[in-house]
PDB file of all heavy atoms in Angstrom:
ATOM      1  N   ILE T  17     -60.883-179.871 -84.498  1.00  0.00           N
ATOM      2  CA  ILE T  17     -61.328-178.484 -84.593  1.00  0.00           C
ATOM      3  C   ILE T  17     -61.166-177.767 -83.256  1.00  0.00           C
ATOM      4  O   ILE T  17     -60.880-176.573 -83.218  1.00  0.00           O
ATOM      5  CB  ILE T  17     -62.781-178.425 -85.079  1.00  0.00           C
ATOM      6  CG1 ILE T  17     -62.885-179.113 -86.438  1.00  0.00           C
ATOM      7  CG2 ILE T  17     -63.230-176.978 -85.219  1.00  0.00           C
ATOM      8  CD1 ILE T  17     -64.238-179.004 -87.070  1.00  0.00           C
ATOM      9  N   ALA T  18     -61.342-178.508 -82.148  1.00  0.00           N
ATOM     10  CA  ALA T  18     -61.183-177.866 -80.845  1.00  0.00           C
ATOM     11  C   ALA T  18     -59.791-177.260 -80.726  1.00  0.00           C
ATOM     12  O   ALA T  18     -59.624-176.128 -80.274  1.00  0.00           O
ATOM     13  CB  ALA T  18     -61.416-178.869 -79.723  1.00  0.00           C
ATOM     14  N   ILE T  21     -59.564-174.224 -82.994  1.00  0.00           N
ATOM     15  CA  ILE T  21     -60.289-173.108 -82.398  1.00  0.00           C
ATOM     16  C   ILE T  21     -59.503-172.531 -81.235  1.00  0.00           C
ATOM     17  O   ILE T  21     -59.409-171.314 -81.070  1.00  0.00           O
ATOM     18  CB  ILE T  21     -61.699-173.548 -81.925  1.00  0.00           C
ATOM     19  CG1 ILE T  21     -62.619-173.643 -83.125  1.00  0.00           C
ATOM     20  CG2 ILE T  21     -62.257-172.568 -80.900  1.00  0.00           C
ATOM     21  CD1 ILE T  21     -64.073-173.794 -82.763  1.00  0.00           C
ATOM     22  N   TYR T  59     -52.671-111.434 -77.837  1.00  0.00           N
ATOM     23  CA  TYR T  59     -52.847-110.390 -78.854  1.00  0.00           C
ATOM     24  C   TYR T  59     -52.367-109.060 -78.296  1.00  0.00           C
ATOM     25  O   TYR T  59     -52.690-108.694 -77.158  1.00  0.00           O
ATOM     26  CB  TYR T  59     -54.316-110.294 -79.287  1.00  0.00           C
ATOM     27  CG  TYR T  59     -54.796-111.601 -79.905  1.00  0.00           C
ATOM     28  CD1 TYR T  59     -55.675-112.450 -79.221  1.00  0.00           C
ATOM     29  CD2 TYR T  59     -54.352-111.978 -81.176  1.00  0.00           C
ATOM     30  CE1 TYR T  59     -56.101-113.637 -79.783  1.00  0.00           C
ATOM     31  CE2 TYR T  59     -54.782-113.173 -81.739  1.00  0.00           C
ATOM     32  CZ  TYR T  59     -55.654-113.992 -81.048  1.00  0.00           C
ATOM     33  OH  TYR T  59     -56.067-115.161 -81.598  1.00  0.00           O
ATOM     34  N   PHE T  97     -54.501-116.944 -90.654  1.00  0.00           N
ATOM     35  CA  PHE T  97     -55.969-116.897 -90.627  1.00  0.00           C
ATOM     36  C   PHE T  97     -56.531-117.472 -91.914  1.00  0.00           C
ATOM     37  O   PHE T  97     -57.441-118.289 -91.918  1.00  0.00           O
ATOM     38  CB  PHE T  97     -56.428-115.442 -90.446  1.00  0.00           C
ATOM     39  CG  PHE T  97     -57.909-115.318 -90.207  1.00  0.00           C
ATOM     40  CD1 PHE T  97     -58.423-115.430 -88.925  1.00  0.00           C
ATOM     41  CD2 PHE T  97     -58.780-115.095 -91.272  1.00  0.00           C
ATOM     42  CE1 PHE T  97     -59.782-115.308 -88.706  1.00  0.00           C
ATOM     43  CE2 PHE T  97     -60.137-114.983 -91.053  1.00  0.00           C
ATOM     44  CZ  PHE T  97     -60.638-115.081 -89.761  1.00  0.00           C
ATOM     45  N   PHE T 101     -58.999-120.685 -91.983  1.00  0.00           N
ATOM     46  CA  PHE T 101     -60.453-120.541 -92.130  1.00  0.00           C
ATOM     47  C   PHE T 101     -60.903-120.380 -93.569  1.00  0.00           C
ATOM     48  O   PHE T 101     -61.983-119.893 -93.847  1.00  0.00           O
ATOM     49  CB  PHE T 101     -60.954-119.366 -91.283  1.00  0.00           C
ATOM     50  CG  PHE T 101     -60.633-119.534 -89.836  1.00  0.00           C
ATOM     51  CD1 PHE T 101     -59.831-118.619 -89.177  1.00  0.00           C
ATOM     52  CD2 PHE T 101     -61.100-120.640 -89.139  1.00  0.00           C
ATOM     53  CE1 PHE T 101     -59.520-118.777 -87.839  1.00  0.00           C
ATOM     54  CE2 PHE T 101     -60.787-120.804 -87.798  1.00  0.00           C
ATOM     55  CZ  PHE T 101     -59.993-119.874 -87.139  1.00  0.00           C
ATOM     56  N   GLY T 104     -62.377-117.186 -98.517  1.00  0.00           N
ATOM     57  CA  GLY T 104     -63.400-116.127 -98.616  1.00  0.00           C
ATOM     58  C   GLY T 104     -63.276-114.970 -97.635  1.00  0.00           C
ATOM     59  O   GLY T 104     -63.136-113.804 -98.019  1.00  0.00           O
ATOM     60  N   THR T 105     -63.240-115.299 -96.355  1.00  0.00           N
ATOM     61  CA  THR T 105     -63.485-114.299 -95.315  1.00  0.00           C
ATOM     62  C   THR T 105     -62.494-113.130 -95.329  1.00  0.00           C
ATOM     63  O   THR T 105     -62.888-111.969 -95.484  1.00  0.00           O
ATOM     64  CB  THR T 105     -63.460-114.967 -93.933  1.00  0.00           C
ATOM     65  OG1 THR T 105     -63.945-116.286 -94.093  1.00  0.00           O
ATOM     66  CG2 THR T 105     -64.318-114.223 -92.955  1.00  0.00           C
ATOM     67  N   ASP T 107     -60.108-112.256 -97.405  1.00  0.00           N
ATOM     68  CA  ASP T 107     -59.960-111.543 -98.674  1.00  0.00           C
ATOM     69  C   ASP T 107     -61.110-110.575 -98.907  1.00  0.00           C
ATOM     70  O   ASP T 107     -60.996-109.621 -99.679  1.00  0.00           O
ATOM     71  CB  ASP T 107     -59.896-112.544 -99.833  1.00  0.00           C
ATOM     72  CG  ASP T 107     -58.662-113.431 -99.674  1.00  0.00           C
ATOM     73  OD1 ASP T 107     -57.770-113.050 -98.893  1.00  0.00           O
ATOM     74  OD2 ASP T 107     -58.614-114.486-100.314  1.00  0.00           O
ATOM     75  N   ALA T 108     -62.236-110.860 -98.229  1.00  0.00           N
ATOM     76  CA  ALA T 108     -63.394-109.977 -98.395  1.00  0.00           C
ATOM     77  C   ALA T 108     -63.230-108.668 -97.610  1.00  0.00           C
ATOM     78  O   ALA T 108     -64.017-107.746 -97.738  1.00  0.00           O
ATOM     79  CB  ALA T 108     -64.661-110.705 -97.950  1.00  0.00           C
ATOM     80  N   LEU T 109     -62.199-108.614 -96.767  1.00  0.00           N
ATOM     81  CA  LEU T 109     -62.035-107.421 -95.915  1.00  0.00           C
ATOM     82  C   LEU T 109     -61.192-106.368 -96.646  1.00  0.00           C
ATOM     83  O   LEU T 109     -60.281-106.700 -97.420  1.00  0.00           O
ATOM     84  CB  LEU T 109     -61.330-107.813 -94.611  1.00  0.00           C
ATOM     85  CG  LEU T 109     -61.981-108.974 -93.845  1.00  0.00           C
ATOM     86  CD1 LEU T 109     -61.174-109.288 -92.599  1.00  0.00           C
ATOM     87  CD2 LEU T 109     -63.421-108.646 -93.494  1.00  0.00           C
ATOM     88  N   PRO T 113     -57.327-106.498 -90.417  1.00  0.00           N
ATOM     89  CA  PRO T 113     -57.776-106.101 -89.073  1.00  0.00           C
ATOM     90  C   PRO T 113     -57.136-106.930 -87.979  1.00  0.00           C
ATOM     91  O   PRO T 113     -57.436-106.730 -86.800  1.00  0.00           O
ATOM     92  CB  PRO T 113     -59.267-106.390 -89.147  1.00  0.00           C
ATOM     93  CG  PRO T 113     -59.362-107.571 -90.058  1.00  0.00           C
ATOM     94  CD  PRO T 113     -58.141-107.593 -90.939  1.00  0.00           C
ATOM     95  N   LEU T 114     -56.274-107.898 -88.344  1.00  0.00           N
ATOM     96  CA  LEU T 114     -55.760-108.818 -87.329  1.00  0.00           C
ATOM     97  C   LEU T 114     -54.601-108.220 -86.560  1.00  0.00           C
ATOM     98  O   LEU T 114     -53.717-107.601 -87.146  1.00  0.00           O
ATOM     99  CB  LEU T 114     -55.331-110.126 -87.999  1.00  0.00           C
ATOM    100  CG  LEU T 114     -56.486-110.897 -88.678  1.00  0.00           C
ATOM    101  CD1 LEU T 114     -55.949-111.986 -89.584  1.00  0.00           C
ATOM    102  CD2 LEU T 114     -57.420-111.456 -87.618  1.00  0.00           C
ATOM    103  N   PRO T 115     -54.553-108.438 -85.253  1.00  0.00           N
ATOM    104  CA  PRO T 115     -53.506-107.854 -84.429  1.00  0.00           C
ATOM    105  C   PRO T 115     -52.236-108.691 -84.455  1.00  0.00           C
ATOM    106  O   PRO T 115     -52.288-109.875 -84.797  1.00  0.00           O
ATOM    107  CB  PRO T 115     -54.124-107.867 -83.028  1.00  0.00           C
ATOM    108  CG  PRO T 115     -55.029-109.043 -83.043  1.00  0.00           C
ATOM    109  CD  PRO T 115     -55.525-109.211 -84.457  1.00  0.00           C
ATOM    110  N   GLU T 146     -54.042-106.780 -75.678  1.00  0.00           N
ATOM    111  CA  GLU T 146     -55.410-106.535 -76.139  1.00  0.00           C
ATOM    112  C   GLU T 146     -56.333-107.654 -75.646  1.00  0.00           C
ATOM    113  O   GLU T 146     -57.462-107.431 -75.230  1.00  0.00           O
ATOM    114  CB  GLU T 146     -55.394-106.501 -77.670  1.00  0.00           C
ATOM    115  CG  GLU T 146     -56.735-106.438 -78.336  1.00  0.00           C
ATOM    116  CD  GLU T 146     -57.341-105.030 -78.257  1.00  0.00           C
ATOM    117  OE1 GLU T 146     -56.620-104.058 -78.509  1.00  0.00           O
ATOM    118  OE2 GLU T 146     -58.531-104.938 -77.909  1.00  0.00           O
ATOM    119  N   TYR T 182     -58.738-170.312 -71.034  1.00  0.00           N
ATOM    120  CA  TYR T 182     -59.998-171.034 -71.107  1.00  0.00           C
ATOM    121  C   TYR T 182     -60.052-171.900 -72.349  1.00  0.00           C
ATOM    122  O   TYR T 182     -60.426-173.074 -72.293  1.00  0.00           O
ATOM    123  CB  TYR T 182     -61.134-170.024 -71.139  1.00  0.00           C
ATOM    124  CG  TYR T 182     -62.462-170.592 -70.775  1.00  0.00           C
ATOM    125  CD1 TYR T 182     -62.692-171.075 -69.493  1.00  0.00           C
ATOM    126  CD2 TYR T 182     -63.482-170.643 -71.700  1.00  0.00           C
ATOM    127  CE1 TYR T 182     -63.911-171.597 -69.163  1.00  0.00           C
ATOM    128  CE2 TYR T 182     -64.709-171.160 -71.374  1.00  0.00           C
ATOM    129  CZ  TYR T 182     -64.924-171.633 -70.102  1.00  0.00           C
ATOM    130  OH  TYR T 182     -66.136-172.161 -69.771  1.00  0.00           O
ATOM    131  N   HIS T 186     -60.242-175.821 -72.300  1.00  0.00           N
ATOM    132  CA  HIS T 186     -61.363-176.474 -72.959  1.00  0.00           C
ATOM    133  C   HIS T 186     -60.870-177.524 -73.941  1.00  0.00           C
ATOM    134  O   HIS T 186     -61.329-178.660 -73.960  1.00  0.00           O
ATOM    135  CB  HIS T 186     -62.185-175.401 -73.674  1.00  0.00           C
ATOM    136  CG  HIS T 186     -63.236-175.953 -74.559  1.00  0.00           C
ATOM    137  ND1 HIS T 186     -63.332-175.600 -75.876  1.00  0.00           N
ATOM    138  CD2 HIS T 186     -64.199-176.852 -74.324  1.00  0.00           C
ATOM    139  CE1 HIS T 186     -64.330-176.252 -76.414  1.00  0.00           C
ATOM    140  NE2 HIS T 186     -64.878-177.028 -75.512  1.00  0.00           N
ATOM    141  N   LYS T 189     -59.557-180.399 -72.101  1.00  0.00           N
ATOM    142  CA  LYS T 189     -60.623-181.224 -71.550  1.00  0.00           C
ATOM    143  C   LYS T 189     -61.189-182.162 -72.611  1.00  0.00           C
ATOM    144  O   LYS T 189     -61.405-183.346 -72.372  1.00  0.00           O
ATOM    145  CB  LYS T 189     -61.736-180.332 -70.998  1.00  0.00           C
ATOM    146  CG  LYS T 189     -62.832-181.137 -70.359  1.00  0.00           C
ATOM    147  CD  LYS T 189     -63.882-180.282 -69.711  1.00  0.00           C
ATOM    148  CE  LYS T 189     -65.010-181.188 -69.229  1.00  0.00           C
ATOM    149  NZ  LYS T 189     -66.126-180.433 -68.664  1.00  0.00           N
ATOM    150  N   LEU T 190     -61.417-181.588 -73.794  1.00  0.00           N
ATOM    151  CA  LEU T 190     -61.951-182.413 -74.869  1.00  0.00           C
ATOM    152  C   LEU T 190     -60.967-183.495 -75.261  1.00  0.00           C
ATOM    153  O   LEU T 190     -61.340-184.633 -75.535  1.00  0.00           O
ATOM    154  CB  LEU T 190     -62.262-181.538 -76.074  1.00  0.00           C
ATOM    155  CG  LEU T 190     -63.437-180.612 -75.836  1.00  0.00           C
ATOM    156  CD1 LEU T 190     -63.557-179.636 -76.981  1.00  0.00           C
ATOM    157  CD2 LEU T 190     -64.701-181.429 -75.691  1.00  0.00           C
TER     158      LEU T 190
ATOM    159  N   ILE W  17     -68.535-177.646 -71.747  1.00  0.00           N
ATOM    160  CA  ILE W  17     -67.990-176.337 -72.056  1.00  0.00           C
ATOM    161  C   ILE W  17     -68.089-176.019 -73.540  1.00  0.00           C
ATOM    162  O   ILE W  17     -68.286-174.869 -73.911  1.00  0.00           O
ATOM    163  CB  ILE W  17     -66.526-176.246 -71.576  1.00  0.00           C
ATOM    164  CG1 ILE W  17     -66.481-176.544 -70.068  1.00  0.00           C
ATOM    165  CG2 ILE W  17     -65.965-174.867 -71.824  1.00  0.00           C
ATOM    166  CD1 ILE W  17     -65.114-176.372 -69.476  1.00  0.00           C
ATOM    167  N   ALA W  18     -67.983-177.038 -74.370  1.00  0.00           N
ATOM    168  CA  ALA W  18     -68.091-176.783 -75.809  1.00  0.00           C
ATOM    169  C   ALA W  18     -69.426-176.115 -76.115  1.00  0.00           C
ATOM    170  O   ALA W  18     -69.494-175.151 -76.878  1.00  0.00           O
ATOM    171  CB  ALA W  18     -67.957-178.076 -76.602  1.00  0.00           C
ATOM    172  N   ILE W  21     -69.346-172.548 -74.795  1.00  0.00           N
ATOM    173  CA  ILE W  21     -68.534-171.711 -75.678  1.00  0.00           C
ATOM    174  C   ILE W  21     -69.281-171.426 -76.964  1.00  0.00           C
ATOM    175  O   ILE W  21     -69.279-170.304 -77.471  1.00  0.00           O
ATOM    176  CB  ILE W  21     -67.182-172.395 -75.987  1.00  0.00           C
ATOM    177  CG1 ILE W  21     -66.249-172.233 -74.785  1.00  0.00           C
ATOM    178  CG2 ILE W  21     -66.533-171.794 -77.225  1.00  0.00           C
ATOM    179  CD1 ILE W  21     -64.825-172.613 -75.077  1.00  0.00           C
ATOM    180  N   TYR W  59     -70.806-114.029 -99.769  1.00  0.00           N
ATOM    181  CA  TYR W  59     -70.500-112.733 -99.171  1.00  0.00           C
ATOM    182  C   TYR W  59     -70.863-111.625-100.158  1.00  0.00           C
ATOM    183  O   TYR W  59     -70.555-111.716-101.359  1.00  0.00           O
ATOM    184  CB  TYR W  59     -69.013-112.648 -98.814  1.00  0.00           C
ATOM    185  CG  TYR W  59     -68.616-113.696 -97.803  1.00  0.00           C
ATOM    186  CD1 TYR W  59     -67.831-114.765 -98.162  1.00  0.00           C
ATOM    187  CD2 TYR W  59     -69.070-113.590 -96.485  1.00  0.00           C
ATOM    188  CE1 TYR W  59     -67.497-115.729 -97.247  1.00  0.00           C
ATOM    189  CE2 TYR W  59     -68.728-114.555 -95.558  1.00  0.00           C
ATOM    190  CZ  TYR W  59     -67.947-115.620 -95.939  1.00  0.00           C
ATOM    191  OH  TYR W  59     -67.626-116.585 -95.031  1.00  0.00           O
ATOM    192  N   PHE W  97     -69.065-115.062 -85.873  1.00  0.00           N
ATOM    193  CA  PHE W  97     -67.617-115.193 -85.908  1.00  0.00           C
ATOM    194  C   PHE W  97     -67.060-115.347 -84.503  1.00  0.00           C
ATOM    195  O   PHE W  97     -66.233-116.207 -84.220  1.00  0.00           O
ATOM    196  CB  PHE W  97     -67.015-113.945 -86.573  1.00  0.00           C
ATOM    197  CG  PHE W  97     -65.553-114.086 -86.850  1.00  0.00           C
ATOM    198  CD1 PHE W  97     -65.103-114.667 -88.036  1.00  0.00           C
ATOM    199  CD2 PHE W  97     -64.613-113.637 -85.928  1.00  0.00           C
ATOM    200  CE1 PHE W  97     -63.758-114.795 -88.288  1.00  0.00           C
ATOM    201  CE2 PHE W  97     -63.257-113.772 -86.175  1.00  0.00           C
ATOM    202  CZ  PHE W  97     -62.827-114.345 -87.368  1.00  0.00           C
ATOM    203  N   PHE W 101     -64.979-118.639 -83.324  1.00  0.00           N
ATOM    204  CA  PHE W 101     -63.519-118.630 -83.227  1.00  0.00           C
ATOM    205  C   PHE W 101     -62.981-118.046 -81.933  1.00  0.00           C
ATOM    206  O   PHE W 101     -61.843-117.598 -81.859  1.00  0.00           O
ATOM    207  CB  PHE W 101     -62.923-117.897 -84.423  1.00  0.00           C
ATOM    208  CG  PHE W 101     -63.329-118.504 -85.733  1.00  0.00           C
ATOM    209  CD1 PHE W 101     -64.063-117.781 -86.651  1.00  0.00           C
ATOM    210  CD2 PHE W 101     -63.013-119.825 -86.013  1.00  0.00           C
ATOM    211  CE1 PHE W 101     -64.457-118.357 -87.848  1.00  0.00           C
ATOM    212  CE2 PHE W 101     -63.412-120.394 -87.207  1.00  0.00           C
ATOM    213  CZ  PHE W 101     -64.141-119.657 -88.136  1.00  0.00           C
ATOM    214  N   GLY W 104     -61.104-113.530 -78.277  1.00  0.00           N
ATOM    215  CA  GLY W 104     -60.004-112.604 -78.522  1.00  0.00           C
ATOM    216  C   GLY W 104     -60.053-111.838 -79.836  1.00  0.00           C
ATOM    217  O   GLY W 104     -60.051-110.607 -79.875  1.00  0.00           O
ATOM    218  N   THR W 105     -60.107-112.571 -80.925  1.00  0.00           N
ATOM    219  CA  THR W 105     -59.795-112.005 -82.223  1.00  0.00           C
ATOM    220  C   THR W 105     -60.647-110.800 -82.646  1.00  0.00           C
ATOM    221  O   THR W 105     -60.121-109.717 -82.890  1.00  0.00           O
ATOM    222  CB  THR W 105     -59.913-113.101 -83.294  1.00  0.00           C
ATOM    223  OG1 THR W 105     -59.560-114.332 -82.694  1.00  0.00           O
ATOM    224  CG2 THR W 105     -58.982-112.820 -84.443  1.00  0.00           C
ATOM    225  N   ASP W 107     -62.878-108.998 -81.083  1.00  0.00           N
ATOM    226  CA  ASP W 107     -62.932-107.880 -80.133  1.00  0.00           C
ATOM    227  C   ASP W 107     -61.682-107.016 -80.220  1.00  0.00           C
ATOM    228  O   ASP W 107     -61.679-105.854 -79.831  1.00  0.00           O
ATOM    229  CB  ASP W 107     -63.086-108.415 -78.701  1.00  0.00           C
ATOM    230  CG  ASP W 107     -64.395-109.179 -78.587  1.00  0.00           C
ATOM    231  OD1 ASP W 107     -65.243-109.050 -79.512  1.00  0.00           O
ATOM    232  OD2 ASP W 107     -64.555-109.926 -77.609  1.00  0.00           O
ATOM    233  N   ALA W 108     -60.641-107.660 -80.745  1.00  0.00           N
ATOM    234  CA  ALA W 108     -59.396-106.899 -80.862  1.00  0.00           C
ATOM    235  C   ALA W 108     -59.425-105.934 -82.055  1.00  0.00           C
ATOM    236  O   ALA W 108     -58.538-105.106 -82.224  1.00  0.00           O
ATOM    237  CB  ALA W 108     -58.225-107.857 -81.008  1.00  0.00           C
ATOM    238  N   LEU W 109     -60.431-106.090 -82.881  1.00  0.00           N
ATOM    239  CA  LEU W 109     -60.492-105.246 -84.076  1.00  0.00           C
ATOM    240  C   LEU W 109     -61.188-103.919 -83.750  1.00  0.00           C
ATOM    241  O   LEU W 109     -62.115-103.859 -82.946  1.00  0.00           O
ATOM    242  CB  LEU W 109     -61.253-105.964 -85.181  1.00  0.00           C
ATOM    243  CG  LEU W 109     -60.745-107.384 -85.522  1.00  0.00           C
ATOM    244  CD1 LEU W 109     -61.585-108.002 -86.615  1.00  0.00           C
ATOM    245  CD2 LEU W 109     -59.275-107.370 -85.872  1.00  0.00           C
ATOM    246  N   PRO W 113     -65.198-105.708 -89.667  1.00  0.00           N
ATOM    247  CA  PRO W 113     -64.769-105.817 -91.052  1.00  0.00           C
ATOM    248  C   PRO W 113     -65.534-106.896 -91.815  1.00  0.00           C
ATOM    249  O   PRO W 113     -65.272-107.122 -92.988  1.00  0.00           O
ATOM    250  CB  PRO W 113     -63.310-106.235 -90.914  1.00  0.00           C
ATOM    251  CG  PRO W 113     -63.307-107.068 -89.664  1.00  0.00           C
ATOM    252  CD  PRO W 113     -64.466-106.638 -88.798  1.00  0.00           C
ATOM    253  N   LEU W 114     -66.463-107.573 -91.142  1.00  0.00           N
ATOM    254  CA  LEU W 114     -67.095-108.725 -91.777  1.00  0.00           C
ATOM    255  C   LEU W 114     -68.220-108.277 -92.695  1.00  0.00           C
ATOM    256  O   LEU W 114     -68.991-107.377 -92.345  1.00  0.00           O
ATOM    257  CB  LEU W 114     -67.628-109.670 -90.711  1.00  0.00           C
ATOM    258  CG  LEU W 114     -66.536-110.300 -89.846  1.00  0.00           C
ATOM    259  CD1 LEU W 114     -67.136-110.983 -88.637  1.00  0.00           C
ATOM    260  CD2 LEU W 114     -65.693-111.264 -90.655  1.00  0.00           C
ATOM    261  N   PRO W 115     -68.350-108.903 -93.865  1.00  0.00           N
ATOM    262  CA  PRO W 115     -69.381-108.506 -94.827  1.00  0.00           C
ATOM    263  C   PRO W 115     -70.728-109.161 -94.505  1.00  0.00           C
ATOM    264  O   PRO W 115     -70.778-110.160 -93.779  1.00  0.00           O
ATOM    265  CB  PRO W 115     -68.840-109.051 -96.142  1.00  0.00           C
ATOM    266  CG  PRO W 115     -68.059-110.259 -95.754  1.00  0.00           C
ATOM    267  CD  PRO W 115     -67.522-110.013 -94.367  1.00  0.00           C
ATOM    268  N   GLU W 146     -69.068-110.537-103.369  1.00  0.00           N
ATOM    269  CA  GLU W 146     -67.671-110.305-103.024  1.00  0.00           C
ATOM    270  C   GLU W 146     -66.874-111.615-103.109  1.00  0.00           C
ATOM    271  O   GLU W 146     -65.737-111.655-103.545  1.00  0.00           O
ATOM    272  CB  GLU W 146     -67.620-109.755-101.587  1.00  0.00           C
ATOM    273  CG  GLU W 146     -66.251-109.606-101.017  1.00  0.00           C
ATOM    274  CD  GLU W 146     -65.531-108.399-101.585  1.00  0.00           C
ATOM    275  OE1 GLU W 146     -66.158-107.322-101.685  1.00  0.00           O
ATOM    276  OE2 GLU W 146     -64.348-108.529-101.929  1.00  0.00           O
ATOM    277  N   ASN W 149     -68.089-118.864 -99.974  1.00  0.00           N
ATOM    278  CA  ASN W 149     -67.421-119.884 -99.143  1.00  0.00           C
ATOM    279  C   ASN W 149     -68.269-121.153 -99.135  1.00  0.00           C
ATOM    280  O   ASN W 149     -69.388-121.166 -98.621  1.00  0.00           O
ATOM    281  CB  ASN W 149     -67.240-119.332 -97.723  1.00  0.00           C
ATOM    282  CG  ASN W 149     -66.378-120.268 -96.903  1.00  0.00           C
ATOM    283  OD1 ASN W 149     -65.965-121.321 -97.374  1.00  0.00           O
ATOM    284  ND2 ASN W 149     -66.106-119.860 -95.671  1.00  0.00           N
ATOM    285  N   TYR W 182     -69.997-172.147 -87.393  1.00  0.00           N
ATOM    286  CA  TYR W 182     -68.813-172.933 -87.099  1.00  0.00           C
ATOM    287  C   TYR W 182     -68.813-173.402 -85.646  1.00  0.00           C
ATOM    288  O   TYR W 182     -68.542-174.563 -85.355  1.00  0.00           O
ATOM    289  CB  TYR W 182     -67.587-172.067 -87.359  1.00  0.00           C
ATOM    290  CG  TYR W 182     -66.324-172.844 -87.534  1.00  0.00           C
ATOM    291  CD1 TYR W 182     -66.169-173.707 -88.607  1.00  0.00           C
ATOM    292  CD2 TYR W 182     -65.289-172.715 -86.633  1.00  0.00           C
ATOM    293  CE1 TYR W 182     -65.010-174.416 -88.781  1.00  0.00           C
ATOM    294  CE2 TYR W 182     -64.116-173.418 -86.798  1.00  0.00           C
ATOM    295  CZ  TYR W 182     -63.977-174.269 -87.866  1.00  0.00           C
ATOM    296  OH  TYR W 182     -62.828-174.971 -88.024  1.00  0.00           O
ATOM    297  N   HIS W 186     -68.954-177.174 -84.595  1.00  0.00           N
ATOM    298  CA  HIS W 186     -67.899-177.707 -83.756  1.00  0.00           C
ATOM    299  C   HIS W 186     -68.473-178.393 -82.520  1.00  0.00           C
ATOM    300  O   HIS W 186     -68.126-179.524 -82.184  1.00  0.00           O
ATOM    301  CB  HIS W 186     -66.975-176.562 -83.355  1.00  0.00           C
ATOM    302  CG  HIS W 186     -65.970-176.941 -82.337  1.00  0.00           C
ATOM    303  ND1 HIS W 186     -65.830-176.255 -81.164  1.00  0.00           N
ATOM    304  CD2 HIS W 186     -65.083-177.947 -82.301  1.00  0.00           C
ATOM    305  CE1 HIS W 186     -64.888-176.834 -80.459  1.00  0.00           C
ATOM    306  NE2 HIS W 186     -64.411-177.844 -81.119  1.00  0.00           N
ATOM    307  N   LYS W 189     -70.045-181.543 -83.507  1.00  0.00           N
ATOM    308  CA  LYS W 189     -69.062-182.581 -83.804  1.00  0.00           C
ATOM    309  C   LYS W 189     -68.562-183.226 -82.510  1.00  0.00           C
ATOM    310  O   LYS W 189     -68.465-184.451 -82.418  1.00  0.00           O
ATOM    311  CB  LYS W 189     -67.887-181.985 -84.570  1.00  0.00           C
ATOM    312  CG  LYS W 189     -66.877-183.041 -84.951  1.00  0.00           C
ATOM    313  CD  LYS W 189     -65.762-182.505 -85.796  1.00  0.00           C
ATOM    314  CE  LYS W 189     -64.711-183.601 -85.987  1.00  0.00           C
ATOM    315  NZ  LYS W 189     -63.566-183.117 -86.762  1.00  0.00           N
ATOM    316  N   LEU W 190     -68.283-182.376 -81.525  1.00  0.00           N
ATOM    317  CA  LEU W 190     -67.802-182.908 -80.255  1.00  0.00           C
ATOM    318  C   LEU W 190     -68.881-183.752 -79.595  1.00  0.00           C
ATOM    319  O   LEU W 190     -68.610-184.793 -79.000  1.00  0.00           O
ATOM    320  CB  LEU W 190     -67.403-181.762 -79.336  1.00  0.00           C
ATOM    321  CG  LEU W 190     -66.164-181.038 -79.813  1.00  0.00           C
ATOM    322  CD1 LEU W 190     -65.950-179.799 -79.000  1.00  0.00           C
ATOM    323  CD2 LEU W 190     -64.973-181.956 -79.735  1.00  0.00           C
TER     324      LEU W 190
END
Side-chain angles (χ1 to χ4, degrees):
Chain T
I17 302 185
I21 282 191
Y59 299 107
F97 188 86
F101 301 119
T105 328
D107 297 344
L109 307 179
L114 297 167
E146 172 76 45
Y182 199 65
H186 171 234
K189 183 175 174 184
L190 291 171
Chain W
I17 303 185
I21 283 192
Y59 299 109
F97 189 87
F101 302 118
T105 328
D107 298 346
L109 307 179
L114 295 168
E146 173 76 44
N149 188 358
Y182 199 65
H186 172 234
K189 183 176 173 182
L190 291 171

